[in-house]
Amino acid sequence: MVLVTKGDIEADGSIKETLKDVTVHEIMTKDVFILDVTSTALEVAKAMDEQNIDSVIITKYGEATGIITERDMVCKVMVKDAMPHTVNAEEIMSSPILTVKPNTGAIKASEMMVKFHIRRLAVTDGKAIVGLVTDRDILTVAPGLNTILEDLIEINREQDVVETIDIERGVCQRCGSHVDDLNQFNGLILCEDCREEEE
């Protein structure tokens, strides 16, 4: 795994440059849980609970055909008051599932997530599923990739929470510095120096 440090960012001046060679293979989760389309929602829920995971890849004839997330379970089973043992995975999965190759760059993967408003990509080698890369995986190694990852952050938070958010430490969305004093100003998360320049 490649970790990006503040020194890397300062020396290079561009987080995109630093990350251009980071592939999804380096940051993906390799332990992916897979079930067949004939599985029931109850079996999917039990797998999520037992494996402590928030998504399951669904296959048909051995090929990835969809994904079921906790949100799918809530919105397509619980809210509809459906009996989980009578609902097939195929009925509630999100499909098609977008896939990338292991050598796909982290930047390209994040751009795909933003374009299609998704938070997960299956990583395939031929027809075999070898991993799953999420927006959080990318955020972990790329805290300063602001222009692309701002959209991923927006996918993960409610609009009304943005107005009241207090961030103590992180990366300034204007200058890219990693600081301990961040606050929201004009819709951006800025360090003290950038907030003064904005005023």
Side-chain angles (χ1 to χ4, degrees):
M1 177 184 285
V2 176
L3 293 177
V4 179
T5 66
K6 181 181 176 187
D8 293 332
I9 295 167
E10 290 171 348
D12 191 279
S14 167
I15 191 73
K16 278 191 173 186
E17 262 318 291
T18 307
L19 285 179
K20 72 179 181 181
D21 295 326
V22 177
T23 65
V24 295
H25 182 266
E26 296 174 79
I27 60 175
M28 71 183 185
T29 301
K30 294 178 182 169
D31 297 324
V32 179
F33 201 82
I34 300 169
L35 288 174
D36 190 74
V37 290
T38 58
S39 302
T40 65
L42 181 60
E43 291 169 325
V44 172
K46 283 182 177 178
M48 287 180 174
D49 180 49
E50 291 168 4
Q51 302 296 319
N52 193 27
I53 53 177
D54 63 2
S55 63
V56 173
I57 300 289
I58 304 299
T59 60
K60 188 172 190 175
Y61 307 119
E63 289 189 37
T65 188
I67 187 169
I68 297 177
T69 65
E70 289 176 335
R71 180 171 174 76
D72 292 321
M73 296 295 289
V74 170
C75 296
K76 298 174 184 176
V77 180
M78 296 178 70
V79 168
K80 295 185 177 182
D81 199 23
M83 301 297 288
H85 67 280
T86 65
V87 178
N88 281 343
E90 193 167 24
E91 298 173 57
I92 60 171
M93 69 184 182
S94 297
S95 181
I97 185 169
L98 293 181
T99 63
V100 291
K101 300 292 179 199
N103 62 352
T104 302
I107 291 173
K108 181 173 173 73
S110 65
E111 288 171 342
M112 287 177 66
M113 290 177 186
V114 170
K115 180 178 179 180
F116 296 104
H117 301 287
I118 57 173
R119 296 172 53 194
R120 299 168 183 85
L121 293 168
V123 183
T124 56
D125 189 2
K127 293 183 179 180
I129 300 163
V130 295
L132 188 70
V133 65
T134 69
D135 54 351
R136 289 185 183 186
D137 296 327
I138 294 170
L139 287 167
T140 299
V141 295
L145 190 54
N146 295 325
T147 52
I148 294 172
L149 297 180
E150 277 177 316
D151 292 329
L152 288 178
I153 292 167
E154 287 300 320
I155 291 170
N156 288 314
R157 65 179 175 201
E158 300 291 334
Q159 290 298 328
D160 54 319
V161 174
V162 175
E163 299 305 321
T164 60
I165 193 165
D166 287 322
I167 299 175
E168 295 178 8
R169 185 174 58 169
V171 177
C172 176
Q173 290 182 309
R174 186 166 180 226
C175 70
S177 297
H178 192 273
V179 295
D180 292 328
D181 177 31
L182 288 177
N183 282 306
Q184 187 172 356
F185 188 84
N186 290 339
L188 295 173
I189 307 299
L190 302 177
C191 66
E192 186 176 359
D193 292 341
C194 290
R195 287 196 308 273
E196 288 176 5
E197 290 178 18
E198 288 279 327
E199 292 178 342

